[in-house]
Amino acid sequence: MEYVILAVVIAVVAVGAIAGLVVSGRRRQQLPPKSQAPVITAPPTPREPAVGEEAAPPTEEPRRTVEEVRLPEAEAEAAPEAEAEAEAAPEAVGEAPAIEVPEPTAGRLVRLRSRLSRSQNSLGKGLLSLLSREHLDEDTWEEIEETLLTADVGVAPTQELVERLRTRVKVLGTRTPDELRGLLREELVELIGKDSDRTVRSTKHEEGPAVVLVVGVNGVGKTTTTGKLARVLVADGRTVVLGAADTFRAAAADQLQTWGERVGARTVRGPEGGDPASIAFDAVKEGIAEGADTVLVDTAGRLHTKTGLMDELGKVKRVVEKHGPVDEVLLVLDATTGQNGLIQARVFAEVVDITGIVLTKLDGTAKGGIVVAVQRELGVPVKLIGLGEGADDLAPFEPGAFVDALIGD
């Protein structure tokens, strides 16, 4: 009997244990995983009124009278008046800007003399300082030569100038600052050449307008120089037609046309990559039809080492000459390139007959002596110099004013 009771008790305990395990497993399956717990955000806190805010008096809004209220009929009547005012305002209808009046060219170099300050410090003041020494021995004369060579005057002109200075200083004897300045001025003006014809031939003749070709290597600023030259000629009373024969550089024609529009000059242009000779020919034809005084032809930049491109430049000149003679071929040189610019000048002179030099960026270099060197190399005068980025910073070259700017007061 006791065994039966013990077996019943064990069976009851076993059943209870199994039931507990089953219930516990079901509960575990019903619980959500911890990673899926919802994110609870707090509700926005309602704004509490500020102290005394409820007691503030209400703000009065501006009120309009009956006379001030615009009726639909009145607005309709006012519309034609507004349109008339818009028509009267040039800026409202997109009219072309007023034509600019370029700065007079007479005495322009004198007004721009401060731009030559760097050349003045290295060349003019340097020479005056050396010549003012109490004893001018061989070492001093060598320093004078070195100063001239550093300023890109050139070997032959330097030797010539030093020899003349030696002779005149011996004759002069005692040297005051004013005497030295006068002596140096005379010799530098003589070296540059005071009797050369530096006028740009820009007056029309029996065959038609004067034709000016602007040539040079890449990057010297031919298009900008052509635009500034147009301003110089307009300031001197000339009528100008521009020929955009630089068809290889993107936006060159647009740039030249913008320069022309500023002074009322027509620009003849063609498709990008078109035949430059054809465009130059059409520009001269247009100049003849308009009775213009001058046709300025901007040619594409070309490396002096590229034979094909140089031959093409010769073709442009020959095609233009079917209308009449080319009056000027202006070679644009970057004054900062120094002796390399002389090599460029020599090659261009072999292809087309250079009649004048335009020296750009002369304000940004201490090598003012390049004026002397390039004239000796080509046997043609410097006619224009660029002394800045402004529209009227291209000046006719005047030897006396140039030397005065180098030496200083």
Side-chain angles (χ1 to χ4, degrees), residues 1 5 77 101 133 172 177 182 190 195 204 216 248 278 327 348 373 389 396:
M1 189 66 180
I5 295 172
E77 293 176 358
V101 179
R133 291 181 181 178
L172 185 62
E190 186 69 26
D195 299 327
K204 65 179 178 181
F248 298 108
S278 175
D327 298 86
F348 273 91
E389 299 297 329

Side-chain angles (χ1 to χ4, degrees), residues 7 29 36 84 116 142 173 177 288 295 297 344 367 376 378 382 388:
Q29 291 178 357
Q36 297 179 356
L116 293 169
E142 287 181 4
I288 294 173
V295 176
V297 179
Q344 300 170 10
K367 301 181 181 296
R376 290 294 184 93
L378 296 182
V382 171

Side-chain angles (χ1 to χ4, degrees), residues 148-149 152-164 186-196 198 331 333 338-339 341-343 345-346 349 354-357 359 368-383 397:
L148 291 168
L149 292 173
D152 274 343
V153 173
V155 177
T158 293
Q159 293 174 347
E160 179 184 326
L161 178 59
V162 169
E163 189 61 32
R164 282 163 38 186
E186 290 178 12
E187 294 299 333
L188 286 175
V189 170
E190 186 69 26
L191 190 66
I192 292 173
K194 58 183 178 181
D195 299 327
S196 300
R198 301 182 187 276
L331 175 63
L333 291 177
Q339 295 299 315
L342 300 183
I343 300 173
R346 191 181 305 118
I354 305 296
T355 60
I357 305 296
L359 278 177
I370 190 66
V371 172
V372 177
V374 71
Q375 290 187 147
R376 290 294 184 93
E377 180 68 30
L378 296 182
V380 296
V382 171
K383 295 192 172 184
F397 183 71

Side-chain angles (χ1 to χ4, degrees), residues 149-407:
L149 292 173
T150 303
D152 274 343
V153 173
V155 177
T158 293
Q159 293 174 347
E160 179 184 326
L161 178 59
V162 169
E163 189 61 32
R164 282 163 38 186
L165 286 174
R166 275 177 178 264
T167 302
R168 295 196 63 178
V169 166
K170 288 180 181 179
V171 174
L172 185 62
T174 304
R175 307 175 305 278
T176 65
D178 289 340
E179 289 174 334
L180 283 174
R181 183 174 284 102
L183 169 65
L184 186 57
R185 184 186 188 281
E186 290 178 12
E187 294 299 333
L188 286 175
V189 170
E190 186 69 26
L191 190 66
I192 292 173
K194 58 183 178 181
D195 299 327
S196 300
D197 181 11
R198 301 182 187 276
T199 59
V200 177
R201 293 190 287 273
S202 57
T203 306
K204 65 179 178 181
H205 35 68
E206 295 181 358
E207 294 85 354
V211 179
V212 180
L213 294 184
V214 181
V215 303
V217 300
N218 301 306
V220 295
K222 290 183 307 305
T223 302
T224 299
T225 299
T226 305
K228 290 183 178 181
L229 179 55
R231 295 179 66 89
V232 168
L233 297 179
V234 170
D236 289 340
R238 306 283 191 272
T239 54
V240 178
V241 171
L242 299 173
D246 183 356
T247 60
F248 298 108
R249 184 171 65 86
D254 293 336
Q255 182 183 356
L256 188 64
Q257 184 172 341
T258 300
W259 279 103
E261 290 174 348
R262 292 177 180 176
V263 292
R266 184 188 299 275
T267 301
V268 176
R269 54 187 296 177
E272 185 175 340
D275 182 17
S278 175
I279 296 172
F281 181 87
D282 290 342
V284 178
K285 183 179 179 180
E286 181 69 21
I288 294 173
E290 289 191 6
D293 293 309
T294 314
V295 176
L296 297 179
V297 179
D298 175 35
T299 63
R302 58 202 73 235
L303 295 176
H304 57 286
T305 55
K306 298 296 183 180
T307 306
L309 292 177
M310 296 301 293
D311 291 342
E312 184 185 75
L313 180 60
K315 174 188 172 184
V316 171
K317 184 173 184 290
R318 290 191 302 272
V319 169
V320 169
E321 287 176 334
K322 293 181 179 180
H323 284 300
V326 173
D327 298 86
E328 291 274 8
V329 179
L330 298 178
L331 175 63
V332 181
L333 291 177
D334 184 339
T336 62
T337 60
Q339 295 299 315
N340 188 46
L342 300 183
I343 300 173
Q344 300 170 10
R346 191 181 305 118
V347 177
F348 273 91
E350 293 173 356
V351 178
V352 289
D353 296 327
I354 305 296
T355 60
I357 305 296
V358 182
L359 278 177
T360 63
K361 305 177 186 178
L362 199 57
D363 59 317
T365 176
K367 301 181 181 296
I370 190 66
V371 172
V372 177
V374 71
Q375 290 187 147
R376 290 294 184 93
E377 180 68 30
L378 296 182
V380 296
V382 171
K383 295 192 172 184
L384 298 156
I385 56 175
L387 295 170
E389 299 297 329
D392 292 321
D393 288 347
L394 185 70
F397 183 71
E398 305 169 29
F402 180 74
V403 171
D404 287 339
L406 291 183
I407 297 177

